[in-house]
Amino acid sequence: MAMINFLILPILVPLITAVILIFLNKSVIAQRWVSGLSAFVTVILSALLVNKVKNDGIQTLNLSNWDAPFGITLVSDMLSALLVLTTSIVAFACIIYSFKGIGEAREKHHFYAALQFLIVGVNGAFTTGDIFNLFVFFEVMLMSSYALILLGGTNIQLRESIKYILVNVISSGLFVIAVGYLYSVVGTLNMAHIAERISEISGISQPGVISIIGIIFLIVFGLKGAIFPLYFWLPGSYYAPPAPVMAIFGALLTKVGVYSIIRTYSLFFYEDGGYVQQVIMILAILTIIAGIIGALAYWDVKKIIIYNIIVAVGVILFGVSTMNENALTGSIFYLIHDMIIKAALFLLVGLMATISGTNNLKQMGGLIKNYPGFSWTFFLAALALSGIPPLSGFVGKVLIVQGGFSSEYFIGAAIVLASSLFVLISIMKIFINGVWGEPKTYANEKSVPYKQLLIAPVILVILSICYGVGADFVYPYISQAAESLINTNIYIDAVLKE
Amino acid sequence: MKTSNVILQSMTKVLLFLIMIFSIYIFFAGHYTPGGGFVGGLLTSGAILLLLLAYDLQTVRNILPVNFLYMVAVGLVFAIGTGVGSLIFDKPFLTHAFGDIHVPILGELHLHTATLFDLGVYLVVVGVTMSIIQTIGGDDE
């Protein structure tokens, strides 16, 4: 098989699968098989891609054979390859969970096809090296997410999807405006080429117009990535759809925003101590605080996890904003950890809510008696989330805090440290109130296919544990990813072939 | 109240074909001049929409008994297929091929795989537009 096209396969396989699934909408069983198999193949392909990037360096593909910077270039550096791999794994787990967890009515209405289109968008956004193409893949991702958030048409879904669509349409409009601004200043859309042009026009400091464009991009990506104060739509909207969709949204969509911030800020708006960097740092810290307040305040299991997404976004962005190699490595480490563990936790609280028939923690209790497998999985996931060593949250946070202190951002680093404690409290609240205590009987408990639903979260939690315990093995990959962010010339040279 | 649609319906019978022919012209014009699958598709959808306004949803369904969602999928098959074709020749995804061919009567023809891709776009556009209009405009019984 053609090897120069290898990096497009994790985008192409879900795309072809989605088309096949449209034709199979009558047969639920066939849809499950096709989407499960395809997701597995995507995982294998993206793992091979990571390996290829590790051995041969950054992979590029000039679509339609138009040379960079004139055509659209896809670029797989280690960061994007790792994120594509993580996305594929999370998608695979959510698809397995959906077999029993989404309901046949939704399966018959193109649920799996929409999910595959969403993977196309997410993997594409991680892979593309063209700023306008990034917008296009954002749209692919958003269109599918509109379908997924609406599918089922319950009242809460209809109410929340209006907000969700409105917010995203506005932010997409801003995205195009921002790209237009940038294009009028630098005259190119290829990200490596933009970076090169910006460094040509920047003397001692970046011109003001670049900072303005940087802030507009921050608003656009911040709306997707849920940073303070642009996260207002997220707790409501993510709450509406069923668990597997929530897991996909929570694990992937916000991370695409975060990735875009990382990519554009390392390439374009990198100026140390510059305006944009300060804004990101302050917003990141406020994001952590806002997330913590939400996570502690709610007694609704889903809301607690949703607010934990916001905390994580803040932690990752704080690491990025220090632009310190340690902290950046930590951020990437934490980003991947967070994608896996958030997906696991969403699936777990989804299972919890299915068993007990409620999202309210006050009406749950004693799950450990009848569901020990679930309870221990949840316990491990909770520890991993809050970063207890040697689990996977630990390494990332240590590096971020270390980097923060060594760059003398003491307040931010201290808040990141303190946030772990509050995250632990918020997640232990679920554990103590939901899992411990007197067992209760729930009305529909018996009809829940508990064992089948547990498979996907268990896979994710095991992966997350391996990711933490095997940090030594993972570290070279992560540091390679951070290297092309710190030393952007590697990225630029790989794309422009200089 | 029943309104009389005689003028609209009579006009539609003529205009429908004119718009269709024009959309096909626009579709083929698309390579070096303005036009292509997207605009062509929109024009075709416009024609079908006119039919829908002049008559009703049932008439349109009788004339075009197509599941428009499948039309989208078929269009995607064309578009993706054109791209995947380049994988077989180990060329970057979406690389197109073209050549001149001599056909009796018609003479020299310049053939390009981009047309196949555009046909996919055309089908997707018609399919998506019509699905949206049917969903919004139609009363699902």
Side-chain angles (χ1 to χ4, degrees):
Chain A
M1 196 60 182
M3 288 312 275
I4 49 165
N5 283 299
F6 195 76
L7 70 100
I8 204 177
L9 292 181
I11 307 172
L12 205 54
V13 170
L15 184 59
I16 294 170
T17 313
V19 176
I20 296 171
L21 287 173
I22 295 179
F23 289 111
L24 292 177
N25 72 322
K26 296 264 163 28
S27 162
V28 171
I29 303 290
Q31 284 196 63
R32 288 177 186 168
W33 273 100
V34 170
S35 45
L37 273 176
S38 141
F40 187 69
V41 170
T42 314
V43 172
I44 303 283
L45 288 171
S46 31
L48 290 173
L49 179 61
V50 169
N51 189 38
K52 198 170 164 60
V53 175
K54 173 85 181 148
N55 294 331
D56 308 345
I58 296 174
Q59 302 288 307
T60 62
L61 172 64
N62 294 324
L63 291 182
S64 303
N65 218 359
W66 289 97
D67 285 338
F70 304 108
I72 292 169
T73 309
L74 298 184
V75 188
S76 269
D77 65 343
M78 189 46 99
L79 176 62
S80 83
L82 283 174
L83 290 175
V84 166
L85 174 62
T86 320
T87 302
S88 313
I89 292 171
V90 167
F92 176 63
C94 290
I95 286 171
I96 291 182
Y97 187 93
S98 306
F99 292 167
K100 294 286 170 190
I102 193 87
E104 245 180 56
R106 286 189 170 92
E107 285 178 304
K108 278 192 180 141
H109 285 90
H110 303 287
F111 166 76
Y112 291 114
L115 201 57
Q116 295 286 346
F117 277 123
L118 187 102
I119 303 168
V120 174
V122 175
N123 280 350
F126 286 147
T127 309
T128 186
D130 183 284
I131 193 90
F132 192 77
N133 197 234
L134 180 68
F135 166 76
V136 173
F137 276 120
F138 260 75
E139 286 304 299
V140 172
M141 172 183 99
L142 288 171
M143 290 292 168
S144 338
S145 74
Y146 300 155
L148 286 174
I149 200 173
L150 258 172
L151 201 63
T154 57
N155 282 347
I156 176 173
Q157 281 181 295
L158 293 174
R159 190 188 71 213
E160 291 303 331
S161 59
I162 287 180
K163 282 195 248 169
Y164 180 74
I165 292 172
L166 204 61
V167 164
N168 280 303
V169 166
I170 291 170
S171 100
S172 295
L174 268 179
F175 196 164
V176 180
I177 292 172
V179 172
Y181 272 146
L182 190 58
Y183 184 76
S184 67
V185 175
V186 295
T188 177
L189 291 169
N190 181 298
M191 295 211 265
H193 203 213
I194 295 173
E196 204 179 53
R197 289 263 170 94
I198 286 182
S199 68
E200 276 166 18
I201 56 173
S202 309
I204 303 157
S205 64
Q206 289 195 334
V209 66
I210 298 291
S211 298
I212 292 173
I213 296 169
I215 294 295
I216 302 177
F217 270 115
L218 185 65
I219 294 172
V220 172
F221 298 141
L223 270 167
K224 306 285 192 310
I227 63 174
F228 180 88
L230 304 167
Y231 69 87
F232 59 89
W233 55 274
L234 184 132
S237 300
Y238 281 16
Y239 188 77
V245 176
M246 199 156 65
I248 283 273
F249 281 19
L252 303 182
L253 298 195
T254 48
K255 304 306 182 293
V256 177
V258 172
Y259 163 82
S260 308
I261 293 178
I262 297 178
R263 178 64 79 205
T264 48
Y265 287 82
S266 64
L267 279 174
F268 312 156
F269 314 111
Y270 46 79
E271 191 190 0
D272 194 30
Y275 183 68
V276 180
Q277 189 212 5
Q278 287 174 28
V279 172
I280 297 185
M281 183 171 294
I282 292 165
L283 289 182
I285 293 169
L286 290 174
T287 309
I288 299 176
I289 295 171
I292 284 171
I293 293 173
L296 290 178
Y298 278 94
W299 279 87
D300 182 308
V301 282
K302 289 181 179 167
K303 281 268 165 89
I304 294 174
I305 309 291
I306 287 174
Y307 274 98
N308 269 306
I309 301 178
I310 298 169
V311 179
V313 168
V315 170
I316 295 164
L317 281 185
F318 173 75
V320 173
S321 69
T322 62
M323 269 298 158
N324 163 306
E325 189 160 1
N326 259 342
L328 209 51
T329 314
S331 284
I332 297 168
F333 213 102
Y334 198 78
L335 180 61
I336 293 168
H337 143 80
D338 195 63
M339 288 166 82
I340 298 174
I341 205 69
K342 280 287 147 58
L345 276 168
F346 272 116
L347 296 180
L348 284 169
V349 297
L351 179 56
M352 207 169 170
T354 322
I355 292 172
S356 58
T358 171
N359 293 324
N360 191 341
L361 207 44
K362 287 178 177 163
Q363 291 163 19
M364 296 179 187
L367 288 170
I368 200 162
K369 173 93 172 136
N370 294 325
Y371 305 97
F374 159 79
S375 304
W376 290 112
T377 315
F378 187 85
F379 183 66
L380 284 172
L383 293 186
L385 176 75
S386 43
I388 306 283
L391 298 168
S392 60
F394 175 69
V395 191
K397 256 185 196 158
V398 163
L399 288 170
I400 292 174
V401 171
Q402 210 178 15
F405 278 126
S406 67
S407 299
E408 303 191 343
Y409 299 114
F410 296 114
I411 300 173
I415 288 175
V416 170
L417 261 185
S419 78
S420 305
L421 193 65
F422 290 111
V423 165
L424 187 65
I425 295 174
S426 75
I427 199 88
M428 277 304 140
K429 184 160 92 179
I430 303 184
F431 190 73
I432 291 169
N433 291 288
V435 177
W436 281 352
E438 280 298 303
K440 295 180 182 168
T441 47
Y442 306 105
N444 298 319
E445 184 172 18
K446 289 280 174 289
S447 63
V448 175
Y450 161 69
K451 290 227 165 78
Q452 288 100 315
L453 288 180
L454 198 57
I455 298 172
V458 165
I459 295 175
L460 288 174
V461 170
I462 290 174
L463 260 177
S464 158
I465 292 170
C466 296
Y467 183 61
V469 176
D472 272 344
F473 171 76
V474 184
Y475 189 81
Y477 292 88
I478 308 281
S479 73
Q480 190 185 344
E483 200 190 338
S484 74
L485 291 178
I486 295 278
N487 187 359
T488 45
N489 283 331
I490 305 174
Y491 182 93
I492 296 169
D493 292 348
V495 177
L496 300 177
K497 305 267 183 329
E498 279 161 355
Chain B
M1 188 183 77
K2 179 132 178 54
T3 49
S4 165
N5 291 330
V6 180
I7 294 177
L8 185 60
Q9 291 185 350
S10 319
M11 292 298 288
T12 302
K13 281 173 192 158
V14 182
L15 279 177
L16 182 70
F17 293 101
L18 284 178
I19 301 174
M20 283 298 227
I21 291 167
F22 187 59
S23 82
I24 293 168
Y25 164 75
I26 284 282
F27 171 76
F28 282 111
H31 195 52
Y32 293 118
T33 47
F38 190 85
V39 194
L42 281 180
L43 270 168
T44 307
S45 324
I48 303 173
L49 185 61
L50 184 65
L51 192 68
L52 197 114
L53 286 176
Y55 296 87
D56 56 7
L57 203 56
Q58 201 49 50
T59 320
V60 175
R61 283 201 183 129
N62 289 343
I63 297 172
L64 285 169
V66 196
N67 183 337
F68 285 107
L69 214 53
Y70 288 159
M71 192 188 237
V72 176
V74 172
L76 283 172
V77 168
F78 272 101
I80 302 167
T82 324
V84 172
S86 54
L87 260 66
I88 297 162
F89 299 101
D90 202 21
K91 289 275 187 300
F93 185 70
L94 278 175
T95 305
H96 288 284
F98 55 89
D100 293 295
I101 199 166
H102 186 80
V103 180
I105 303 169
L106 291 172
E108 289 290 323
L109 282 185
H110 185 68
L111 295 181
H112 204 300
T113 51
T115 314
L116 285 175
F117 180 84
D118 241 12
L119 182 64
V121 175
Y122 176 88
L123 290 172
V124 171
V125 170
V126 175
V128 168
T129 322
M130 290 320 294
S131 317
I132 293 174
I133 289 169
Q134 278 193 347
T135 327
I136 297 173
D139 255 330
D140 254 354
E141 52 281 337

